[in-house]
Structures are given as structure tokens and as C-alpha cells.
Amino acid sequence: MAASLQFNFKPVFLTKSSTNHAAKFATIRCSASPPSKSYTITLLPGDGIGPEVISVAKNALQLVASLEGIKFKFNEMPMGGAALDLTGVPLPEETLLSAKQSDAVLLGAIGGYKWDNNEKHLKPETGLLQLREGLKVFANLRPATVLPQLVDASTLKKEVAEGVDLMVVRELTGGIYFGKPRGFSTNENGDELGFNTEVYAAHEIDRIARVAFETARKRRGKLCSVDKANVLEASMLWRKRVTSLASEYPDVELSHMYVDNAAMQLVRNPKQFDTIVTNNIFGDILSDEASMITGSIGMLPSASLGESGPGLFEPIHGSAPDIAGQDKANPLATVLSAAMLLKYGLGEEKAALRIEAAVLDTLNRGFRTGDIHSAGLNLVGCKEMGEQVLKSIDSSVPAAV
């Protein structure tokens, strides 16, 4: 029988905490198995570098499971371009069923040049949208933390990047990516039209706002809501609803920022941000921008959670077809996604801390893939980086929770 777990939203590299205040719609739950510590994980390697990084993360999960008395059953299923080649659709029914019946889902990456010209319903990315919708995961948590070991890898000046520690809370199942009507048409002049609809219902805004307020409450108590309320009606409602909830969180300082200014401020002074909450498309863009502050998109994990059922955990990078199969990929974002899976998806805090500590130890020992490499450090490939993480996991002592 599946059980419900309540999680706080403290990011994997943070230490600050505060009193836990419950809120009905801010509670995110993921299914977990009984105290036997036996879990079913659906693995979706996907395309490009996806299979390479998933292999590393799976090895890390298996090793930490053996150290923590956990048993995993892995179901590897096709998705994205790989599924298109095998079955003709980007998300086979069997894959979605496996995901729904599991305790958590770990995704590698999807997409590639091979399928770029497919019709929309036959694109790998459509499968990802269908998966998120099928799992009903509406809250996407994307931490962006500049680790001391990697501050020199950032493209920003050291004094700008050093100490950056923020969380983007992105609404994941609404907005322009899902809104209707959408499609193609022709106007009265015979010109082709392509159209989409940016639409949000009040309850969709409220539930993601509550998650964001709770996240900020457990961090440094600052929440910036990003919108385009000077132009878009959907953003006007967004700002109205977020503002109306602020009185329930007097310990959180709420501010608002237009998305164009937020994009500029993330580069100019990223340390001003603690927690950012925004809609689907703005969150997609801003979280990728925030990732580059950290030095590489290959370092950042994400968690997508719903009110019940399994969570979806994935690195925020793409499938990188240009380096696929060349042992050049950075697997650390996927390894850290596995840590988020353990922490947020299964409630296995000690196991998650083992993996997080192992990643930091690997970096401290000077191992770097090409995307984060600098002079004087050990340049390694995906497999070797994975082996070094395993060494660090195996040599670490159990972490206190």
C-alpha cells in the first residue's frame, strides 16, 4: 500500500531551516512503499546522452541502497525519440502506466535532430508534456547554487557569482504549453497563423504560490513572483492571486518583478534572489538562465511533484546529441536528481545526503568533465566521473539527518 509523505522544500545544498507551517495546498506528496524499504523506480533514459547519465545515476542509487538497507526494482522504459523509433509514439501507454505505478520516476533527456521535423504530436518533447500531465506533477523545483568548487566555472565575475543560492519554483502543467485553443489557421488575408493560449485558473496559481511561499519560508524568507502583469491578463490574475495569499505568510517578504527585468537582474545581481515563483514558460527560460550562473547546465537537478503519486526527477539539461555516445557528458545533474528522488520522492534523507556528499567530495578531489573543467584539474569522461562518485559514496560515513 502506498503511503503519503510530507516534504519540506529545502534545497539539497542549503542548511537554513525554519518552523514548518502546514498549508493545505502547499503540501506536496509522493508515493512511497511500506517500511520494508523496497521501492520501484521507473527509469526513462530517453535520447542523446540520456542513457549515459542514467546509467551513472542508477549505479549510484544501487550502491547507496546497499549501504542504507534499501531495495530498488528498476523498470527501464522507452520515451521520447527512442520510443518513437520503437513504437511510433513519444510516450507509449506502457511507459506511462509503469511511471504511474512506480514510487518515483528518473528521466535522462529527450529529443534530438533526428526528430526535429516531425509533426508536433510525434516530437519527443510532446511525450514529456504528456508525462508531466499524466503524473499530475504541477510544481517544478529547480535549485541553482554556485558551489565553492565551481565558482570559477561561472561565466560571471567571481564577485557576482560567488554565494548565489536560489530556487526557481515553476508551474508545470498550465499556461501556454497546455492552454487551448492552440493550433494553425489562416486569416482573412490568406496568411498562415500559429496560435497558443496563455491561460491560468485561480486554483492553479494558488497551489503553486503556496508551494513557493512554503519553499521561501524554509529558506531565507524572500519570494519574488515573476510575471508580465503590465501586458498580459493571465499575469494580472497571477499577481492578484499571489498577492492575496501573502497575508497567510507574514514571515515571507513578497516582491513582484516583470519577467524581462528578472532576466536582466539574474545576470546583474543574482544574489538578490532567494525563491522565485513563476509560470510555465517564464520558469522554463529563467531556470535555464539561472543554471548558467552556476557554471554549467550539467550540474543542476530538478524535481517535479504533485499532490499525490510519484514524482518526476530529471536533470535540466537537454539530450546534447552532438556529444552523445562520446563519453563527454556530465552525469552530476542526473546523480543529484537521483538524490532529490531519494529526498523528496521517497523520504530517504540519509541516502540522499550520501549522494550529495559524494558529489561534493568528487569535486573536491579535482575531477571535472569538460563543461566544468579548468586548468590544473583532472579532466574525465562521463563513466570515470561516475566511478569517482561511486568511490566517494563507498568511502563516506552515514550522514546524520
Side-chain angles (χ1 to χ4, degrees):
M1 176 183 292
S4 292
L5 295 176
Q6 182 171 326
F7 304 99
N8 72 42
F9 292 91
K10 188 167 68 175
V12 293
F13 292 117
L14 297 184
T15 57
K16 295 196 173 190
S17 61
S18 62
T19 304
N20 183 23
H21 299 260
K24 178 180 178 182
F25 294 106
T27 301
I28 297 294
R29 298 180 177 88
C30 294
S31 67
S33 297
S36 63
K37 290 201 169 187
S38 177
Y39 305 108
T40 299
I41 309 297
T42 293
L43 298 176
L44 306 175
D47 312 316
I49 63 172
E52 298 171 66
V53 296
I54 282 289
S55 176
V56 172
K58 179 182 178 182
N59 289 339
L61 284 170
Q62 287 176 318
L63 179 55
V64 80
S66 69
L67 296 171
E68 293 292 339
I70 300 169
K71 181 180 179 181
F72 286 127
K73 176 186 177 183
F74 295 102
N75 292 329
E76 187 169 314
M77 304 296 291
M79 183 184 164
L84 281 165
D85 290 347
L86 282 172
T87 70
V89 294
L91 182 66
E93 291 183 8
E94 295 82 358
T95 297
L96 181 58
L97 181 62
S98 174
K100 287 181 174 181
Q101 293 179 341
S102 64
D103 294 294
V105 181
L106 184 63
L107 170 66
I110 53 104
Y113 306 131
K114 179 179 179 181
W115 308 282
D116 278 352
N117 295 323
N118 285 17
E119 293 183 38
K120 183 179 180 296
H121 70 285
L122 296 178
K123 286 182 178 292
E125 295 78 9
T126 298
L128 180 56
L129 295 178
Q130 292 171 341
L131 178 65
R132 290 169 177 170
E133 190 172 29
L135 293 177
K136 294 181 171 57
V137 288
F138 68 86
N140 182 232
L141 278 62
R142 293 191 174 190
T145 304
V146 176
L147 303 178
Q149 300 91 335
L150 297 180
V151 66
D152 292 329
S154 175
T155 55
L156 299 182
K157 293 179 180 178
K158 183 175 182 179
E159 59 268 26
V160 176
E162 196 167 32
V164 170
D165 174 11
L166 61 91
M167 174 75 84
V168 177
V169 180
R170 169 190 173 193
E171 201 288 322
L172 200 59
T173 57
I176 201 166
Y177 290 172
F178 292 92
K180 295 178 180 179
R182 62 189 300 157
F184 299 95
S185 182
T186 305
N187 68 12
E188 63 274 11
N189 298 320
D191 288 336
E192 283 188 291
L193 299 177
F195 56 93
N196 296 86
T197 302
E198 167 73 356
V199 57
Y200 272 104
H203 80 275
E204 293 177 304
I205 301 170
D206 289 356
R207 67 182 182 180
I208 193 67
R210 290 185 186 278
V211 170
F213 274 111
E214 289 290 334
T215 303
R217 174 176 267 171
K218 293 172 176 63
R219 288 173 50 88
R220 299 189 299 278
K222 293 176 62 179
L223 176 63
C224 180
S225 177
V226 174
D227 57 42
K228 192 62 176 170
N230 58 336
V231 176
L232 302 176
E233 283 79 2
S235 279
M236 295 174 192
L237 178 63
W238 180 283
R239 182 171 293 206
K240 175 185 175 182
R241 300 302 302 185
V242 173
T243 301
S244 70
L245 293 175
S247 61
E248 300 179 23
Y249 302 88
D251 52 333
V252 176
E253 176 187 338
L254 174 65
S255 62
H256 301 274
M257 191 175 290
Y258 295 142
V259 64
D260 44 355
N261 186 30
M264 179 181 70
Q265 294 297 331
L266 272 172
V267 177
R268 189 184 73 84
N269 180 22
K271 284 194 285 284
Q272 70 182 281
F273 295 106
D274 171 21
T275 305
I276 294 172
V277 62
T278 191
N279 69 12
N280 204 337
I281 189 169
F282 296 162
D284 192 2
I285 296 166
L286 293 178
S287 58
D288 279 3
E289 181 187 4
S291 74
M292 291 312 300
I293 298 169
T294 70
S296 173
I297 200 170
M299 286 298 301
L300 299 184
S302 76
S304 300
L305 308 173
E307 291 176 298
S308 63
L312 173 63
F313 303 86
E314 59 182 305
I316 74 168
H317 62 66
S319 62
D322 290 342
I323 62 169
Q326 300 176 42
D327 194 34
K328 293 182 178 180
N330 184 346
L332 295 184
T334 312
V335 172
L336 290 171
S337 294
M340 292 189 83
L341 180 155
L342 290 165
K343 184 175 184 178
Y344 295 110
L346 305 180
E348 295 289 351
E349 293 265 351
K350 287 177 64 178
L353 288 171
R354 275 190 184 271
I355 290 181
E356 293 166 10
V359 169
L360 293 178
D361 181 64
T362 302
L363 294 173
N364 284 334
R365 292 188 288 117
F367 293 97
R368 302 285 191 275
T369 46
D371 58 313
I372 54 174
H373 183 256
S374 56
L377 299 173
N378 299 316
L379 177 62
V380 297
C382 181
K383 292 179 182 178
E384 177 64 20
M385 182 64 91
E387 291 172 3
Q388 294 300 327
V389 170
L390 292 180
K391 287 182 181 179
S392 293
I393 291 175
D394 205 26
S395 63
S396 65
V397 296
V401 177

